[in-house]
């Protein structure tokens, strides 16, 4: 092998390449001289020009393209052609020439005939669409690469993952390919977990948990976090924590273990805070209902003088009553508010029309919409009426006074 001219050339070329990247200032000049002395072997010269292009890619993109294009013109092997084509595509993309970046890949699809190089070319097409965030075309390019190299587990996984991530409702294709991976390796942790994800997205809950558990049993920490999230969503605190703590003992700990642990802690805190708020609101309601009960079970009906001036804070009210129906209106600037309801003894089953301003309104008629809230009220005396409403988990109280 040491006497094989192809291997000797590759070693010398790589030596120049690594000397340059390790700071040897003489490497480029010696490399250029070496290339100029390769006269009767196009493949060796192509290989050397390709690496000289790599050396120039960071400092002179255009020169790198020129060198690698020369390398492409010289080589006859599909494998090296694809290396050149893929690198040129990347260099064009870096220059912002996306059309050239894609076309140089597509223009060679029918020229490359060997299976493995053609598969690699499709992988480069997938990489282009990954950079341009076209998940659908990226997925299809991976499938074409897979057709030429059907036993490649890495390609199978890439194809399955990308189909699962598209926004084109192709999770089922991802599932199909993940299942194919298990034919080759029934204990593939990533496939087991991602099958669980696919089943979850397809709303097949039992199968989803089954595969998450299989992945978890093979000590896949991401599956542990996925199971924990499902349990957190359903309120199983201790069970979720058990999966997360066990996941922390696995060899490779996925970041989602810590994210899920933080989510669990935050969810517990949020629920505790919400409980405190609920009980605070309930206490205010309970106190209000003491008075409301006195009002509706009273033997004496309090009469109010509707001709008098009534106010809520500084807002003057218009109060009308027809039979047992009480209607109260007031304005705050442009906003028109209303409380109304049926009076039983001295209690009121009330409704509150609350105006809400439309941000994107284009006319006076649609400037406000009304929100409706149910509540309660009671007549305290001939000079006072009290109301209570729950609005967005907060208690809103109105005290209406005769002045």
């Amino acid at each position: 092998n040491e006497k094989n001219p192809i291997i000797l050339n590759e070693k010398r070329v790589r030596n120049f390449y690594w000397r340059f990247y390790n700071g040897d200032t003489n490497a480029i000049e010696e490399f250029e001289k070496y290339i100029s002395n390769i006269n009767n072997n196009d493949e060796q010269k192509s290989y050397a020009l390709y690496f000289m292009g790599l050396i120039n890619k960071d400092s002179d993109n255009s020169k790198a393209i020129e060198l690698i294009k020369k390398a492409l013109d010289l080589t006859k092997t599909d494998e090296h052609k694809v290396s050149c084509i893929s690198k040129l595509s990347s260099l064009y993309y870096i220059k912002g020439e996306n059309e050239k970046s894609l076309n140089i890949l597509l223009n060679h699809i029918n020229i490359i005939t060997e299976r493995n190089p053609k598969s690699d070319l499709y992988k480069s097409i997938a990489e282009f669409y990954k950079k341009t965030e076209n998940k659908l075309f990226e997925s299809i390019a991976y499938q074409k690469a897979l057709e030429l190299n059907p036993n490649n587990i890495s390609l199978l996984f890439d194809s399955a993952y990308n189909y699962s991530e598209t926004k084109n409702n192709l999770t089922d294709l991802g599932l199909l390919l993940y299942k194919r991976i298990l034919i080759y390796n029934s204990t593939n942790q990533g496939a087991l977990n991602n099958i669980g994800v696919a089943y979850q997205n397809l709303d097949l809950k039992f199968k989803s948990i089954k595969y998450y558990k299989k992945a978890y049993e093979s000590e896949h920490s991401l599956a542990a976090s996925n199971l924990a999230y499902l349990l957190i969503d359903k309120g199983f605190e201790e069970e979720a924590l058990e999966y997360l703590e066990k996941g922390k003992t696995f060899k490779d700990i996925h970041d989602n273990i810590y994210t899920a642990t933080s989510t669990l802690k935050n969810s517990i805190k949020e629920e505790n805070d919400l409980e405190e708020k609920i009980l605070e609101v309930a206490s205010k309601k309970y106190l209000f209902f003491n008075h409301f009960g006195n009002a509706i079970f009273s033997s004496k009906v309090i009469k109010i003088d509707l001709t008098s001036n009534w106010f809520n804070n500084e807002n003057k009210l218009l109060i009308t009553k027809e039979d047992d129906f009480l209607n109260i209106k007031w304005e705050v600037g442009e906003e028109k508010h209303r409380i109304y309801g049926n009076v039983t003894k001295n209690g009121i089953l009330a409704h509150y029309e609350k105006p809400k301003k439309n941000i994107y309104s284009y006319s006076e008629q649609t400037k406000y919409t009304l929100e409706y809230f149910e509540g309660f009220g009671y007549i305290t005396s001939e000079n006072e009426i009290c109301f209570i409403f729950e609005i967005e988990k907060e208690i809103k109280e109105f005290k209406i006074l005769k002045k």
Side-chain angles (χ1 to χ4, degrees):
N1 286 340
E2 292 296 329
K3 295 180 181 180
N4 185 316
I6 296 174
I7 294 175
L8 280 173
N9 179 65
E10 289 179 0
K11 283 186 175 181
R12 287 169 182 161
V13 167
R14 290 179 183 275
N15 183 51
F16 287 124
Y17 178 80
W18 288 115
R19 280 174 57 194
F20 167 78
Y21 272 102
N22 287 316
D24 187 340
T25 55
N26 296 318
I28 289 185
E29 185 178 346
E30 292 178 25
F31 195 10
E32 287 175 340
K33 186 177 180 181
Y34 175 79
I35 292 171
S36 67
N37 289 328
I38 304 174
N39 295 315
N40 299 314
N41 193 311
D42 286 348
E43 291 301 329
Q44 289 184 17
K45 192 155 193 169
S46 174
Y47 190 80
L49 286 167
Y50 174 81
F51 272 85
M52 182 59 84
L54 295 185
I55 285 174
N56 282 275
K57 68 181 176 65
D58 295 325
S59 59
D60 191 340
N61 186 289
S62 296
K63 186 175 180 180
I65 289 172
E66 180 186 344
L67 289 164
I68 295 175
K69 283 175 76 174
K70 287 179 180 178
L72 177 60
D73 290 339
L74 288 172
T75 185
K76 298 294 187 294
T77 70
D78 278 2
E79 183 179 358
H80 191 48
K81 281 180 183 177
V82 169
S83 295
C84 294
I85 293 161
S86 299
K87 184 54 64 178
L88 285 169
S89 175
S90 296
L91 292 170
Y92 283 131
Y93 186 84
I94 291 168
K95 284 185 73 176
E97 298 179 0
N98 289 14
E99 188 174 349
K100 281 187 178 180
S101 177
L102 178 60
N103 284 344
I104 195 165
L105 298 169
L106 299 181
N107 291 342
H108 286 84
I109 283 291
N110 295 324
I111 296 171
I112 304 301
T113 57
E114 293 180 30
R115 294 179 69 86
N116 285 341
K118 193 162 190 169
S119 177
D120 289 339
L121 187 57
Y122 275 117
K123 283 169 65 177
S124 294
I125 294 171
E127 283 298 315
F128 171 85
Y129 284 116
K130 181 177 184 178
K131 287 182 283 193
T132 57
E133 298 182 352
N134 187 328
K135 188 62 75 175
L136 175 62
F137 283 14
E138 180 189 353
S139 305
I140 295 170
Y142 274 124
Q143 179 175 333
K144 296 301 293 181
L146 185 61
E147 286 177 10
L148 296 159
N149 198 350
N151 298 330
N152 187 311
I153 299 298
S154 176
L155 270 179
L156 260 173
F157 198 94
D158 285 340
S159 187
Y161 177 80
N162 281 284
Y163 271 129
S164 297
E165 292 292 303
T166 67
K167 296 179 180 178
N168 301 84
N169 195 30
L170 299 175
T171 301
D172 53 347
L173 285 176
L175 174 63
L176 179 72
L177 295 173
Y178 281 130
K179 296 278 270 188
R180 192 179 296 175
I181 292 173
L182 296 186
I183 295 172
Y184 297 103
N185 180 1
S186 62
T187 60
N188 186 297
Q189 291 181 328
L192 288 169
N193 175 74
N194 288 7
I195 286 173
V197 175
Y199 276 133
Q200 184 177 346
N201 291 336
L202 291 165
D203 203 28
L204 299 172
K205 301 181 182 68
F206 299 119
K207 289 187 177 293
S208 174
I209 290 174
K210 175 184 175 181
Y211 277 89
Y212 280 148
K213 284 185 173 180
K214 283 185 177 184
Y216 169 77
E217 287 161 6
S218 68
E219 300 196 349
H220 191 54
S221 61
L222 181 55
S225 69
N226 285 334
L227 284 165
Y229 275 120
L230 290 173
L231 291 164
I232 291 168
D233 185 57
K234 299 302 180 184
F236 289 93
E237 175 189 341
E238 293 176 1
E239 292 83 352
L241 186 59
E242 184 179 340
Y243 277 111
L244 293 171
E245 291 303 314
K246 183 67 175 175
K248 290 175 185 176
T249 69
F250 294 165
K251 183 178 178 182
D252 297 312
I253 306 175
H254 196 279
D255 288 345
N256 278 21
I257 285 286
Y258 302 107
T259 306
T261 301
S262 177
T263 298
L264 176 59
K265 289 179 180 177
N266 290 337
S267 297
I268 293 168
K269 183 181 183 305
E270 287 171 7
E271 194 167 280
N272 288 337
D273 291 344
L274 182 57
E275 179 195 27
E276 186 178 331
K277 192 70 181 175
I278 288 169
L279 291 175
E280 180 186 336
V281 168
S283 295
K284 290 180 179 179
K285 287 180 183 176
Y286 190 81
L287 180 61
F288 186 90
F289 278 123
N290 280 335
H291 301 294
F292 184 74
N294 291 335
I296 59 172
F297 299 134
S298 173
S299 59
K300 181 182 177 183
V301 175
I302 301 171
K303 293 184 178 180
I304 54 175
D305 182 5
L306 301 180
T307 61
S308 302
N309 292 325
W310 290 83
F311 289 84
N312 169 37
N313 295 325
E314 299 302 318
N315 302 308
K316 189 174 182 180
L317 312 177
L318 173 64
I319 301 181
T320 58
K321 187 171 183 289
E322 186 173 339
D323 296 329
D324 292 329
F325 186 80
L326 184 68
N327 196 25
I328 304 170
K329 297 180 179 180
W330 73 96
E331 295 182 6
V332 181
E334 295 180 320
E335 297 180 356
K336 296 181 179 180
H337 297 252
R338 180 186 178 215
I339 293 175
Y340 60 93
N342 288 312
V343 180
T344 301
K345 296 292 186 175
N346 300 314
I348 307 159
L349 297 177
H351 303 268
Y352 174 34
E353 288 183 1
K354 182 178 182 294
K356 181 180 179 181
K357 194 168 187 178
N358 290 325
I359 299 173
Y360 302 107
S361 173
Y362 296 101
S363 69
E364 287 298 319
Q365 289 76 15
T366 60
K367 197 169 185 178
Y368 289 92
T369 55
L370 293 176
E371 296 180 299
Y372 296 89
F373 302 94
E374 293 184 356
F376 306 90
Y378 61 89
I379 301 168
T380 308
S381 68
E382 61 182 17
N383 300 317
E384 182 182 72
I385 309 172
C386 295
F387 291 95
I388 188 172
F389 298 92
E390 185 176 349
I391 301 174
E392 296 177 357
K393 301 189 185 303
E394 297 281 350
I395 290 296
K396 175 70 175 176
E397 295 182 86
F398 292 94
K399 187 169 284 189
I400 293 173
L401 300 171
K402 182 174 76 172
K403 294 184 181 180

